[in-house]
Amino acid sequence: MNTHANSSKLIPGATGEWEVVIGLEIHAQVTSHSKLFSGASTEFGGAPNSHVSLVDAAMPGMLPVINEECVRQAIRTGLALKAQINHRSVFDRKNYFYPDLPQGYQISQYKHPIVGEGVVLVDLSPTEQIKVGIERLHLEQDAGKSLHDLGANDSHVDLNRSGVALMEIVSKPDMRSADEAKAYVTKLRTILRYVGTCDGNMEQGSLRADVNVSVRKPGAPFGTRCEIKNVNSIRFIGQAIDVEARRQIGILEDGGTIDQETRLYDPNKGETRSMRSKEEAHDYRYFPDPDLLPLEFDQAYVDELAQHLPELPDEKKARFISQYGLSPYDAGVLVLERASADYFEAAAKGRDAKLVANWVINELFGRLNKEGKSVEASPVSAAQIGGIVDLIASNVISGKLAKDLFEIVWLEGGDPAQIVEARGMKQVTDTGAIEAAVDEIIVRNPDKVEQAKAKPTMLGWFVGQVMKATGGKANPQAVNDLLKAKLGL
Amino acid sequence: MSDLTRLTLAEARDGLSARKFSAVELNQSFIDAVARANSLNVYLVETPEKALAQAKASDERIARGEAGPLEGIPLGVKDLYATEGVQTTAASHILEGFIPQYESTVTANLWRDGATMLGKLNLDEFAMGSSNETSYFGPAISPWRRQGADGKVSDAKIVPGGSSGGSAAAVAARLCLGATATDTGGSIRQPAAFTGTVGIKPTYGRCSRFGIVAFASSLDQAGPIARTVRDTAILLRSMAGHDPKDTTSVDAPVPDYEKSVGASVKGKVIGIPKEYRLDGLSAEIAALWDRGVEWLKAAGAEIREISLPHTRHALPAYYIVAPAEASSNLARYDGVRYGLRKTGKDIVDLYELTRAEGFGKEVRRRIMIGTYVLSAGYYDAYYLRAQKIRTLIKRDFDLAYQAGVDAILTPATPSPAFALGEKGSADPVEMYLNDVFTVTVNMAGLPGLVVPGGLSSDGLPLGLQLIGRPFEEETLFALGQAIEEAAPKIGLPEAWWA
C-alpha cells in the first residue's frame, strides 16, 4: 500500500520528524437536471430563489420524492471507485436550525450509505503510485445560501441550491502529504468527470472538500484531528494542510495538546481559524427519514449501469501504453481528461501514435494552456493535427515548418495539406536543387569553409544559410548530408 | 322540504341523482346549519361561496349525466389538509393566516369526484391531543351532552375527542355529510367513538399524505369520518389511491368499498385480544365489548381469543416515536419563510421567540420529548428501543393473522367522552391513556374502523373498534355494517346549539 516510511514526506520539527495524516470528505454535486427530492432545476446561476419548488421551501405537508437519476449517478460513481454498492441504503434526517435549511433538517445517509468501501489509485509521478481507500459515498441534500451583505440589518436567503444532490465521498486517512491530497482530489475529479456524475467545477462550488488533518511521530498512533471545512480549490487544499500541520506541530512541540475542532482556512492570511470546538458541535439527532422508504435495488440494476460505464482513466492509461506504445507519463497526461484522451485517439487513428502524442501534448496542450482553453474548445481539430502529423511523417514538411503550419491552422483554420500546397511550404527533397544551393554557398564563403575544417560545429552556420536560401523548405537531413560530404567533415 | 341535513351521505347522493333536490339546495341547508352552530366552534374557516360554486357546477354535471361518485356532497375538511387559497393552520398560532398555493392530494381527489367544501374543521394543534382542547382557536364542542338516569340533561360541555374533534363533531351535529380526518394514534377513531360517528383509519400507505401537515410521518394516515359505515366506505374510495408525490403511498387498486357494506361475515374469524382487557377496564366498556362479540357471533362470525403480548408497551413506545418524528417535522416552522414571525436580536432569538409564542403548551412538550429521545446518548435507550417494540407489536398482529384471524374486535376508548377541562390538566399522561386501544394499530400500520355500539349510562356514545389485515379494509366495512345493524340506534343529538 502506501510508502509511508518515505522520509521525504516527513516534516522536520524541533523534536524530530513528524508525519501528517490526511483524510478528505469531498462534496461533489451530482450532475442531474433536477434536485435530489424535488423537480426544481439544478442549473447554476439562476436569479435568487428562481429554482425553488414547494418541497425545497419546506412548505407544510410537502414530501420528498427521490430522483432516480441521482441514485443512478451515485451507483455509477461507486462503480468507478471500485466500491461496494449497497443494495439497500437508508436516508436519515440530520436536524439543525439554519435559515438556509428550510426543513430544519438535511436529508442525508448516516448509518447505511448507498456506496461502501472502494479505492482510488493516485499517481504521484510516473513511477510512484499510492492507493487511497474510500470509506463510503452517500447521497445528501445541499443547503441554500445565506447572503449577509445585501442590507445593513438583514440577511437574505437564496434557496436555489437547497435540495440539490450531493455525493459525500469520504476517504480513509491514507494521505501523508499535501501533494498526495492534491493528487487524490485531482484523480477523483478526473474519475467523476469521466463518468459524468459531477462536473468537478470547484469555482462554482460543484466540488468542495472538508480536510481532516492530524500529525504524529512516525509509527505512533493517530493524533487528534482537526477538520478544515469547505476548502474550494486544490491549491488551497494543499496550503491548508501545510499550514494546519505546522500549527499542530508547533502546539505539540510546545507541550500542548490538539483540541478536536472544526476550523476554517483563510487563504488571504494563510492560516486556519477555529470555527467551533467539539463541545460546541451540534447534536444532529439523526434518525431515519420516515417520509422515505429505504432505497433498494437489485444486482441487475447495478449490472446494467456497470455495462454502460465508460472506460475509466486507469484502464485507459494502461491501454494507451500497451496499444500505442506510449510512455506512462504521456499516457498519464493524455487520460487526465476524457476529452483529451478522445482527442488523442481520434488524431492517432492510423498514424504514428507516439508522434501524435508528442504533438498533442507539447504543441496543442502547450498552446491551449497558454490561452486558457479547454481541449473541447481547441481551434485545431483532431483531424487537423492528424493532417499535420501526416505531412511530417511523409517528409512533406520539416518539424520546424510544421510548427509554423500549426500556428496557421490555429489562427486561420483550414486543411493543413492544402495550406502547405497553397503557400509553397513543401519541403525540398530534390537533392539537385539543394546541391546547387550548397555549392553556391561554399563558393561564396571560402573563409568559412576553412574555419569549418578546423571547427566542425561551423556546419550549423552552413545549414542555416542553405535553409535561408531555400526558404526553409529544404529537407534538413539532406542539407546536412550534402554539406558534410562537400566540406569533407 | 324535509331537513336535508338529516340525510346520510348515501341518501343525499341517491336523492341528488333522483333529482329530489339540487346540490345547491343540499349545500345551502348545510351552510345555514353551519351558520347557526358557531357555539360549537367546529369550523375554523367557513367557505360557503366555494361550496355553492362547487354545488352549482355539480348540478350542471348531474344535468349532463356526468355526476362523479360524490357529486354535490358537502364535506368538511380537517384543517390539517392544505387547501389551495383557503387558510390552513393545523389549529396553530404559528400558521395563523397561512394560505397554501397547493391542494392536498386527498382533498383534490374528493373535489375530482364532485364533493363540495363547506370549510376547515377544528382540531388539536398539529393533531396533538385527544380532546380538541389544544387548538389555538379554542376547543370544538361535542353536540352530545350528558343525560342522567332521570332524563335531566347536563350543561357541561363535552369534548368531541381529538385530534379530529372538529371533524367528528361536525358530522355528529349534521354540519356536513362527512369529513376528512387524520389518525396518528387514534385521532380518527377516538373522536368517532366519542361522537357516535363512524371513522376509519386505513392501512398506512392507502391514502396520500401529500399536502397534509405532518405530525408523525410514519404513523399519520388520512381517513374519513361519516355518519354510517356505508358513508365512510363511499368517502374512503374517493380519498384513497396511489400518489407519486408520496413515496409511502401504495400502488394498489382501490376497491369499491361500498360493495362490501352488507357483505356476509359468516365464517369470519374475529380475534378478541386478552391483553386489551385492561386492569380497571370499566364495567360499561367491558359490557359493550361483550355485546359486540355477541352481535358478530349472531351474524355468523367465529370468535377466538387471541394474544397480542406486547400491547402494554405500545403506548409508551408510541409516545417516543411520535414526538421524535414531530420534533423534526415541526422544525420547519421557524418564522423564516411563512407563518408567524417574532423578530429578535439575531436569528436564534427569532427562532426562539417565534416558536415559543407560535406553539402551544402540548406541542412544545412533544417537541421537547422528541428532541430528548433523539439526542446523542439517549437515542438507543429510547428511540431505538421504541422502534424494536414497534416491530414486536407488528409481529403480534402478523402472527394472529397468520393463524387465521380476519379481524380483531376491541373497545375504541377506555371511557366515554369527558367534559372540557376534566382530564389531563394536571397530568398529560391521563390524556395520553385515551389512546391505549388505538395506538397499536398505528404502530403496526393496520386499518382500524370504529362504529357506535350504544350509549353510556350518562347518555354519551360508545364505540367499538375493528382492526383488520393490511389493505383489507373491505373486511372491516362488512363487519362494521354487521355491528351497525345489530347495535341499538343511538340517533342524532338534538340541535341545542342552534
Side-chain angles (χ1 to χ4, degrees), chain A residues 57-61 93 95 102 283, chain B residues 102 211 328-329 332 337-338 351 376:
Chain A
M59 300 304 272
R93 291 185 184 178
N95 295 283
D283 180 352
Chain B
Y102 48 92
S328 178
N329 282 333
R332 65 187 56 200
R337 296 171 313 288
Y338 48 78
Y351 290 150

Side-chain angles (χ1 to χ4, degrees), chain A residues 54-66 92-93 95-105 111 157 159 283-293, chain B residues 82 95 98 101-102 204 209-214 217-218 244-248 324-325 327-329 331-334 336-338 347 351 355 371 374-376 379 383:
Chain A
L54 296 167
V55 174
D56 306 325
M59 300 304 272
M62 289 299 111
L63 298 171
V65 176
I66 185 83
D92 297 282
R93 291 185 184 178
N95 295 283
Y96 64 98
F97 284 93
Y98 208 68
D100 60 23
L101 187 75
Q103 294 165 139
Y105 53 84
K111 284 189 180 156
V157 176
L159 296 179
D283 180 352
Y284 290 120
R285 292 172 281 121
Y286 281 101
F287 75 106
D289 191 329
D291 286 333
L292 292 159
L293 302 172
Chain B
L95 276 175
F98 174 69
Q101 301 164 27
Y102 48 92
Y204 186 79
R209 293 183 296 114
F210 179 85
I212 299 174
V213 174
S217 311
S218 74
K245 288 184 287 203
D246 174 6
T247 47
T248 64
E325 293 184 14
S327 71
S328 178
N329 282 333
R332 65 187 56 200
Y333 308 106
D334 57 7
V336 173
R337 296 171 313 288
Y338 48 78
I347 185 68
Y351 290 150
R355 290 167 65 84
T371 304
L374 288 176
S375 297
Y379 181 89
Y383 186 78

Side-chain angles (χ1 to χ4, degrees), chain B residues 213-230:
Chain B
V213 174
F215 163 12
S217 311
S218 74
L219 301 160
D220 294 346
Q221 188 57 204
I225 292 177
R227 220 168 292 154
T228 66
V229 171
R230 180 180 299 278

Side-chain angles (χ1 to χ4, degrees), chain B residues 429-452:
Chain B
V429 174
E430 190 186 11
M431 190 67 85
Y432 298 170
L433 286 170
N434 265 287
D435 303 332
V436 67
F437 296 126
T438 47
V439 291
T440 52
V441 175
N442 300 79
M443 294 290 264
L446 301 171
L449 176 82
V450 162
V451 280

Side-chain angles (χ1 to χ4, degrees), chain B residues 67-280:
Chain B
L70 291 173
E71 202 61 67
I73 299 296
L75 302 177
V77 174
K78 185 179 184 179
D79 201 25
L80 205 61
Y81 290 72
T83 42
E84 190 177 354
V86 178
Q87 178 181 259
T88 301
T89 66
S92 180
H93 184 34
I94 211 159
L95 276 175
E96 195 173 3
F98 174 69
I99 296 175
Q101 301 164 27
Y102 48 92
E103 186 78 25
S104 83
T105 296
V106 165
T107 47
N109 291 346
L110 291 168
W111 317 143
R112 173 203 64 203
D113 282 358
T116 68
M117 180 166 98
L118 291 166
K120 303 297 290 288
L121 295 164
N122 206 346
L123 67 150
D124 280 298
E125 185 181 2
F126 281 104
M128 297 177 189
S130 304
S131 64
N132 217 297
E133 290 169 286
T134 71
S135 168
Y136 174 73
F137 305 103
I141 308 298
S142 174
W144 290 89
R145 292 191 292 184
R146 284 180 182 141
Q147 192 169 10
D150 54 1
K152 208 174 152 212
V153 175
S154 159
D155 283 345
K157 286 180 177 167
I158 301 297
V159 304
S163 67
S164 309
S167 303
V171 170
R174 313 189 308 275
L175 303 175
C176 57
L177 282 173
T180 70
T182 61
D183 191 316
T184 305
S187 281
I188 289 175
R189 291 160 290 157
Q190 185 252 23
F194 276 13
T195 56
T197 55
V198 179
I200 184 166
K201 182 206 93 74
T203 312
Y204 186 79
R206 184 68 286 187
C207 294
S208 169
R209 293 183 296 114
F210 179 85
I212 299 174
V213 174
F215 163 12
S217 311
S218 74
L219 301 160
D220 294 346
Q221 188 57 204
I225 292 177
R227 220 168 292 154
T228 66
V229 171
R230 180 180 299 278
D231 290 358
T232 310
I234 292 168
L235 284 172
L236 182 60
R237 183 193 177 192
S238 289
M239 292 168 74
H242 177 241
D243 180 5
K245 288 184 287 203
D246 174 6
T247 47
T248 64
S249 80
V250 172
D251 193 0
V254 179
D256 184 352
Y257 293 119
E258 194 181 358
K259 283 192 176 141
S260 47
V261 176
S264 168
V265 300
K266 212 168 157 43
K268 292 282 181 203
V269 178
I270 307 301
I272 308 298
K274 61 180 181 194
E275 289 80 5
Y276 282 58
R277 208 165 282 277
L278 306 170
D279 292 340

Side-chain angles (χ1 to χ4, degrees), chain A residues 118-139:
Chain A
V119 68
V120 176
L121 296 175
V122 180
D123 290 319
L124 300 174
S125 72
T127 53
E128 195 185 6
Q129 190 178 55
I130 60 165
K131 281 183 188 172
V132 175
I134 297 294
E135 180 70 37
R136 56 184 283 163
L137 176 156
H138 68 252
L139 281 167

